[in-house]
């Protein structure tokens, strides 16, 4: 952990120092400068914006002018994929304090580039463009391009039964035994990797029982128009998704061990995804799309959003309400035919401010409900709630952006409910090397559940996990996040950019 923090600090210093020569030194007493606040009385907007959308005085005083870049090399450890290395580069244009939108938006445009590769071969590359109030109009434009390959994509079953405790045949004695329940996911996975004699005496293992290989290409473009002083947003767009998958059944597992820990070569037995495709589970849910050839999902997307947050990347107050819908059909050229919708609400409230409003204690809560239905559903679309407010939606139910104490996609079904509760404490801020930083800590609690359909919804059998995180806000628009969560199945660390909501 100390090595990770050291690498983080070195990366930040290198990036900051590179900018110092061209951007100049920031006024160390910027928080005392009232010039920007006085301009507020004289600015003229091309259309009305609500005062609720205006940035806080402290955010205005600390906001950088013009073009700047932030970014970091990233070094991670993932319990599924091992060590990883990569980085993010964020490019921002804020224009100057004479620009009227300087006081109402986190930026005039941003470009986020990302590349990451893990020890197991997982690769992700992405470019995201966001332009609020493009050409000084009521329109916002967003576009995304993502390339993704993951040899260890997670599959823990579909339906209400995925909420059950982890269980598998006990192989601790070096042979198949009776069904055993596991409290910890690590113990469960160690049991899977044990190789035992199969038919003909050949060693067999279950290392990849909950895994498959995923390849994905995603391209989308979204337009958004604001009304009601910027509080009401109408969004619509198009998404092109190309997906391909491979099953490990019958392959040689790269990690298999005898009961005494000796590494051996063993054949992978039937995986869970293979079993549920063949036993009728997928047919019951109208799922398809598991193919080693790319399948095309062509989708129209729309959303209605009511948003009074004061600063999207790191809000201190406001509400966010969203209904979003995605539709895919053969007449669009799609290989699938389904609908997916999500209802989401967020509430942000600052209870207390101190040190001239520079420090604060803010509650942030999210509740989301999603459902997917249709005669021919691309199964991977069940992995996320269809939020149009960010690329990729909200990945469920488990992992770094939903239930942080559980593995990715640990609980999966056509209908999903999720709640995230956070208490974001900003404790210290400072200016250095022409940059502004704010440090904080965030205790949190995540919980949720899944149902097999709308008629199955009942308020019981939730799964939850508490945790705590650190936050570094960098020039308002970039938030670095380090979280640790502990569930009944084990603990997990996550490092990334941006609040999870």
């Amino acid at each position: 952990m100390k090595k990770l923090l050291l690498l983080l600090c070195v990366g930040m210093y290198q990036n900051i120092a590179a900018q110092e020569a061209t951007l100049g030194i920031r006024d160390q007493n910027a928080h005392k400068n009232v010039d920007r606040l006085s301009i507020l009385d004289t600015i003229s907007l091309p259309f009305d914006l609500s005062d609720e959308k205006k940035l806080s005085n402290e955010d205005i005083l600390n906001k950088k002018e013009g073009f700047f870049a932030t970014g970091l090399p990233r070094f991670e450890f993932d319990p599924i994929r091992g060590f990883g290395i990569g980085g993010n580069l964020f490019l921002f244009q804020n224009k100057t304090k004479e620009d009227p939108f300087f006081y109402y938006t986190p930026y005039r445009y941003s470009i986020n580039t990302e590349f990451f590769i893990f020890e197991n071969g997982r690769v992700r590359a992405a470019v995201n463009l966001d332009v609020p109030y493009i050409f000084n109009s009521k329109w916002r434009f967003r576009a995304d391009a993502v390339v993704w390959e993951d040899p260890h994509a997670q599959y823990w079953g579909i339906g209400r039964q995925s909420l059950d405790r982890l269980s598998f045949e006990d192989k601790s004695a070096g042979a198949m035994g009776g069904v055993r329940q596991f409290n910890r996911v690590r113990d469960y996975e160690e049991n899977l990797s044990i190789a035992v004699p199969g038919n003909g005496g050949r060693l067999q293992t279950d290392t990849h029982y909950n895994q498959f290989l995923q390849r994905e290409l995603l391209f989308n473009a979204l337009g958004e128009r604001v009304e009601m002083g910027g509080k009401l947003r109408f969004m619509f767009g198009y998404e092109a998704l190309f997906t391909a998958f491979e099953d490990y059944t019958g392959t040689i597992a790269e990690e298999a061990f005898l009961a005494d820990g000796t590494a051996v070569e063993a054949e992978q037995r039937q995986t869970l995804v293979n079993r549920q495709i063949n036993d009728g589970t997928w047919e019951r849910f109208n799922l398809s799309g598991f193919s080693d050839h790319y399948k095309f999902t062509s989708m129209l997307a729309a959303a209605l959003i009511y948003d009074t947050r004061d600063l999207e990347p790191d809000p201190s107050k406001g509400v966010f309400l969203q209904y979003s819908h995605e539709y895919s059909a053969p007449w669009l050229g799609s290989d699938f035919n389904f609908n997916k919708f999500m209802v989401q609400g967020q509430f942000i409230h600052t209870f207390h401010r101190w040190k001239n409003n520079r420090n604060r204690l803010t509650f942030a809560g999210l509740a989301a409900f999603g459902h997917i239905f249709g005669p021919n559903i691309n199964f991977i679309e069940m992995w996320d709630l269809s939020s149009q407010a960010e690329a990729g939606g909200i990945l469920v139910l488990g992992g770094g952006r939903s239930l942080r104490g559980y593995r990715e996609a640990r609980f999966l079904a056509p209908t999903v409910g999720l709640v995230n509760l956070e208490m974001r404490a900003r404790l210290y801020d400072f200016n250095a090397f022409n940059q502004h930083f704010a440090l904080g800590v965030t205790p949190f609690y995540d919980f949720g559940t899944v149902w097999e359909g709308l008629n199955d919804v009942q308020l019981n059998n939730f799964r939850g996990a508490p945790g705590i995180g650190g936050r570094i806000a960098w020039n308002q628009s970039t938030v670095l996040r380090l979280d640790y969560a502990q569930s009944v199945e084990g603990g997990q660390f996550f490092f990334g950019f941006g609040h999870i909501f």
Side-chain angles (χ1 to χ4, degrees):
M1 187 64 185
K2 291 181 179 179
K3 291 182 179 180
L4 174 63
L5 292 175
L6 177 61
L7 290 168
L8 177 65
C9 293
V10 170
M12 289 176 63
Y13 177 80
Q14 291 174 340
N15 180 275
I16 292 167
Q19 297 177 56
E20 181 182 352
T22 57
L23 295 179
I25 302 300
R26 179 183 174 83
D27 179 6
Q28 299 300 313
N29 295 314
H31 65 279
K32 299 178 181 178
N33 182 5
V34 297
D35 181 52
R36 289 179 176 176
L37 300 182
S38 63
I39 293 179
L40 278 170
D41 298 327
T42 62
I43 63 171
S44 176
L45 290 163
F47 48 86
D48 290 335
L49 287 176
S50 169
D51 286 341
E52 294 174 283
K53 300 299 295 181
K54 186 176 70 177
L55 306 184
S56 69
N57 288 346
E58 184 59 28
D59 285 330
I60 291 172
L61 293 174
N62 287 315
K63 188 173 181 181
K64 288 180 64 65
E65 295 184 63
F67 174 84
F68 67 97
T70 62
L72 285 176
R74 288 170 55 184
F75 303 87
E76 295 187 22
F77 177 80
D78 186 294
I80 302 169
R81 303 168 181 93
F83 288 98
I85 185 171
N88 290 76
L89 177 64
F90 299 92
L91 307 176
F92 297 99
Q93 174 59 261
N94 284 346
K95 292 195 175 180
T96 68
K97 61 187 178 183
E98 283 73 29
D99 176 51
F101 293 103
F102 185 88
Y103 306 90
Y104 289 88
T105 65
Y107 42 77
R108 289 311 307 270
Y109 72 77
S110 74
I111 300 174
N112 170 24
T113 62
E114 173 186 342
F115 178 79
F116 219 90
I117 183 168
F118 276 88
E119 186 179 358
N120 77 324
R122 180 189 190 186
V123 177
R124 174 184 167 91
V127 178
N128 312 107
L129 170 68
D130 185 11
V131 190
Y133 303 116
I134 187 170
F135 306 127
N136 288 343
S137 72
K138 291 186 177 183
W139 288 92
R140 181 176 190 165
F141 176 75
R142 292 195 295 116
D144 308 287
V146 181
V147 179
W148 174 285
E149 180 170 325
D150 187 358
H152 293 161
Q154 301 288 286
Y155 183 83
W156 301 84
I158 288 179
R160 189 76 166 167
Q161 65 182 15
S162 67
L163 297 168
D164 295 342
R165 288 177 60 185
L166 297 169
S167 62
F168 202 81
E169 291 94 336
D170 186 3
K171 299 191 286 183
S172 60
M176 302 302 293
V179 174
R180 172 187 169 191
Q181 289 189 327
F182 297 84
N183 294 322
R184 298 284 180 168
V185 67
R186 187 176 298 276
D187 296 336
Y188 169 81
E189 290 179 329
E190 288 178 355
N191 181 74
L192 291 180
S193 66
I194 295 176
V196 297
N199 296 331
R202 183 172 185 177
L203 290 176
Q204 294 184 321
T205 186
D206 298 282
T207 297
H208 298 295
Y209 182 71
N210 296 109
Q211 299 172 352
F212 59 88
L213 187 149
Q214 174 186 358
R215 296 186 180 95
E216 181 173 306
L217 303 172
L218 169 68
F219 307 94
N220 67 30
L222 295 168
E224 173 188 309
R225 182 177 173 85
V226 300
E227 297 292 346
M228 293 178 58
K231 294 186 290 185
L232 187 65
R233 297 152 57 184
F234 301 94
M235 184 182 295
F236 61 90
Y238 174 77
E239 178 176 308
L241 176 66
F242 302 86
T243 52
F245 309 94
E246 291 184 20
D247 178 35
Y248 285 108
T249 300
T251 63
I252 301 300
E254 72 277 10
E255 293 185 10
F257 306 89
L258 297 177
D260 62 5
T262 303
V264 294
E265 183 178 278
E267 179 183 308
Q268 172 67 41
R269 298 200 310 156
Q270 187 180 35
T271 62
L272 181 58
V273 66
N274 185 285
R275 176 179 298 178
Q276 292 198 336
I277 288 174
N278 290 290
D279 69 8
T281 300
W282 279 36
E283 184 178 359
R284 180 162 64 92
F285 289 109
N286 297 330
L287 302 181
S288 66
F290 197 100
S291 169
D292 57 0
H293 300 290
Y294 277 101
K295 296 289 187 179
F296 179 41
T297 308
S298 178
M299 288 188 289
L300 297 177
L304 179 64
I305 298 172
Y306 180 77
D307 184 5
T308 66
R309 295 172 301 170
D310 55 347
L311 180 67
E312 290 180 25
D314 191 15
S316 66
K317 62 179 180 179
V319 298
F320 178 89
L321 305 175
Q322 176 186 12
Y323 174 84
S324 62
H325 201 107
E326 293 179 354
Y327 168 68
S328 180
W331 71 269
L332 293 170
S334 180
D335 293 324
F336 305 95
N337 188 356
F338 63 87
N339 284 268
K340 181 165 67 168
F341 71 82
M342 186 205 67
V343 179
Q344 176 191 173
Q346 299 178 20
F347 176 71
I348 316 292
H349 178 72
T350 295
F351 288 102
H352 181 59
R353 296 177 183 267
W354 67 98
K355 200 177 178 181
N356 295 322
N357 291 327
R358 296 166 64 189
N359 297 345
R360 67 190 189 215
L361 181 65
T362 301
F363 168 80
L366 172 146
F369 177 88
H371 178 62
I372 187 169
F373 60 98
N376 184 16
I377 301 171
N378 184 353
F379 81 100
I380 202 65
E381 284 296 318
M382 298 179 66
W383 264 246
D384 71 272
L385 296 174
S386 61
S387 173
Q388 300 305 315
E390 59 177 312
I394 302 173
L395 298 180
V396 293
L397 194 56
R401 299 187 70 88
S402 57
L403 296 190
R404 283 165 277 191
Y406 290 91
R407 289 291 176 84
E408 294 176 8
R410 175 63 182 88
F411 312 113
L412 196 66
T415 308
V416 178
L418 170 67
V419 176
N420 301 116
L421 305 174
E422 297 190 345
M423 190 63 74
R424 301 170 182 172
R426 178 180 293 184
L427 303 177
Y428 181 70
D429 77 317
F430 61 95
N431 297 299
F433 302 102
N434 199 38
Q435 315 290 306
H436 180 259
F437 299 93
L439 309 180
V441 63
T442 300
F444 59 83
Y445 188 78
D446 309 320
F447 65 97
T449 191
V450 297
W451 304 278
E452 299 196 357
L454 295 177
N455 295 331
D456 186 45
V457 172
Q458 48 191 305
L459 299 180
N460 61 10
N461 216 12
F462 283 83
R463 297 290 178 266
I468 190 165
R471 300 289 185 271
I472 302 175
W474 185 356
N475 290 338
Q476 286 90 30
S477 301
T478 304
V479 176
L480 284 72
R481 168 175 48 88
L482 178 64
D483 288 337
Y484 174 78
Q486 178 73 45
S487 73
V488 296
E489 294 184 355
Q492 298 189 120
F493 278 104
F494 299 97
F495 172 71
F497 285 87
H499 293 294
I500 69 167
F501 65 94

